[in-house]
Amino acid sequence: MSQPPTLPLNPDHVTLQFSRRSPLDEAQFLYGEVTQRMLQRLSYIRLQPTALLDAGCGAAHALEPLRSRYPEVDYIGLDASAALLQVATERYSAKPSLWQKLRNKPTRAVRFLRADMADSGLPPESLDLVWSNMALHWHPQPHRVLAEWRRTLKTGGLAMFSCLGPGSLRELRDALQSAGLDTVTPSFVDMHDFGDLLIEHGFADPVMDQEILTLTYRNADKLLADLRALGGNPALGRKPGLASRAWRDRLCEALEKQRHQDGTIHLSLEIAYGHAWRGAIDRSVPGETRVSVASIVRKRKSDPTQS
């Protein structure tokens, strides 16, 4: 890959729009479903993390499912939105999970961190698992995020993520074009490019797959409401300001023309899933090969010539 893919997003608008939608409960029809699908994939992986980062955690809806799977893990939730982190703190910082209540054991403390996913400020090689559900497509430089995940993961640690792919929102784009409405919709990175990026940034054995989820609606208003709940449109070049009633009516009319034989309007979402292991060697800097200090220490300890 000659140039890493960048997404035409305004990061300040991303944070603003998600803060306005706090606590994201209305978006869990999709985000919660993808969480369960990620957990199913995680169940096939032998891993017992002690330190976990939930990158782009929002209001920490994934905390309970993750603590149910890993009750002894130290959880860190990272997000750029102070409003969402405030909700997460109020809901979970001093609240024992259902799993902890059933086990009758003390609840491990959780930590929330306001930061950019590409610049967490966490110590290097301090995490066993980075989990990121439906957040990576909201960052304009996903390659920097992957580099940060590699920096903070221990050698042999796992990064697992989900995000939207380029097959998403096809019906919306078609409706905007047919209605002659001048605006820009978000663009997304192909999963094959993510596979290449993982390798380039020092990850090993990347596994990428994708599926198309088709949402069905009885009316266009509900479709647009769900799109707003999922994060809106922070793309650079989008129509400035609020859409007028006439603009919205034209869009709804174009969506209505897409009705299928069963009377429903469809919205396609391509969900890409990926996971990879943090390798000991990093070749992301041209002309340099960087080796993890932790991996060198382990090799010395296991070398019989050092006894």
Side-chain angles (χ1 to χ4, degrees):
M1 184 180 302
S2 57
Q3 291 292 331
T6 58
L7 298 175
L9 297 169
N10 184 323
D12 292 334
H13 288 176
V14 172
T15 302
L16 177 62
Q17 294 204 34
F18 273 92
S19 296
R20 288 173 174 171
R21 288 154 179 78
S22 178
L24 290 183
D25 292 346
E26 294 181 359
Q28 295 312 304
F29 73 91
L30 177 66
Y31 294 157
E33 175 64 26
V34 177
T35 292
Q36 294 304 315
R37 297 181 185 221
M38 287 180 65
L39 286 169
Q40 184 177 10
R41 286 166 169 79
L42 191 57
S43 68
Y44 298 111
I45 299 174
R46 298 181 63 180
L47 181 71
Q48 286 300 321
T50 58
L52 178 155
L53 174 67
D54 185 355
C57 67
H61 287 87
L63 171 58
E64 294 282 8
L66 287 168
R67 279 205 301 198
S68 295
R69 185 172 296 274
Y70 304 119
E72 304 302 326
V73 77
D74 289 323
Y75 172 97
I76 302 173
L78 179 150
D79 205 275
S81 168
L84 287 170
L85 292 179
Q86 180 63 32
V87 172
T89 300
E90 293 171 355
R91 287 182 173 180
Y92 300 111
S93 281
K95 175 186 174 183
S97 68
L98 176 60
W99 178 256
Q100 297 289 347
K101 291 178 180 178
L102 292 174
R103 296 175 74 245
N104 194 27
K105 288 188 176 182
T107 302
R108 297 187 69 84
V110 298
R111 175 185 172 194
F112 294 107
L113 175 66
R114 185 184 180 190
D116 188 304
M117 286 198 297
D119 187 17
S120 69
L122 293 171
E125 302 187 38
S126 59
L127 303 170
D128 303 294
L129 172 63
V130 172
W131 163 284
S132 184
N133 178 33
M134 299 295 284
L136 194 53
H137 57 264
W138 294 118
H139 198 285
Q141 296 180 301
H143 59 285
R144 291 185 55 230
V145 178
L146 297 183
E148 177 69 357
W149 291 354
R150 187 196 182 280
R151 186 189 70 82
T152 54
L153 277 168
K154 301 174 185 176
T155 300
L158 181 72
M160 172 171 264
F161 63 91
S162 63
C163 60
L164 290 178
S168 301
L169 311 181
R170 174 177 54 82
E171 296 86 354
L172 176 66
R173 290 193 295 270
D174 290 346
L176 287 167
Q177 183 177 5
S178 66
L181 298 173
D182 184 22
T183 192
V184 174
T185 57
S187 57
F188 308 105
V189 178
D190 186 88
M191 71 169 185
H192 299 97
D193 290 333
F194 272 126
D196 293 340
L197 283 172
L198 286 166
I199 293 174
E200 290 177 10
H201 285 82
F203 286 90
D205 302 323
V207 176
M208 299 294 308
D209 67 293
Q210 61 90 16
E211 62 181 340
I212 300 294
L213 299 184
T214 302
L215 308 181
T216 60
Y217 295 91
R218 291 296 177 186
N219 60 76
D221 283 333
K222 176 57 176 171
L223 183 153
L224 296 177
D226 280 356
L227 281 175
R228 286 196 301 272
L230 292 173
N233 182 10
L236 294 173
R238 67 182 175 88
K239 182 182 182 300
L242 297 175
S244 66
R245 183 64 193 180
W247 194 96
R248 179 186 172 86
D249 287 344
R250 287 169 61 188
L251 177 56
C252 287
E253 182 180 352
L255 288 168
E256 290 286 345
K257 292 178 180 178
Q258 296 180 6
R259 284 191 181 275
H260 290 246
Q261 289 185 347
D262 63 357
T264 60
I265 306 170
H266 293 185
L267 182 67
S268 300
L269 298 175
E270 178 185 327
I271 312 297
Y273 303 91
H275 70 263
W277 303 92
R278 196 270 203 194
I281 297 176
D282 180 13
R283 295 188 176 91
S284 60
V285 179
E288 294 185 12
T289 298
R290 300 179 179 182
V291 181
S292 165
V293 173
S295 66
I296 296 174
V297 170
R298 279 197 294 273
K299 287 182 179 179
R300 285 177 176 171
K301 287 182 178 179
S302 62
D303 188 348
T305 63
Q306 299 297 319
S307 59

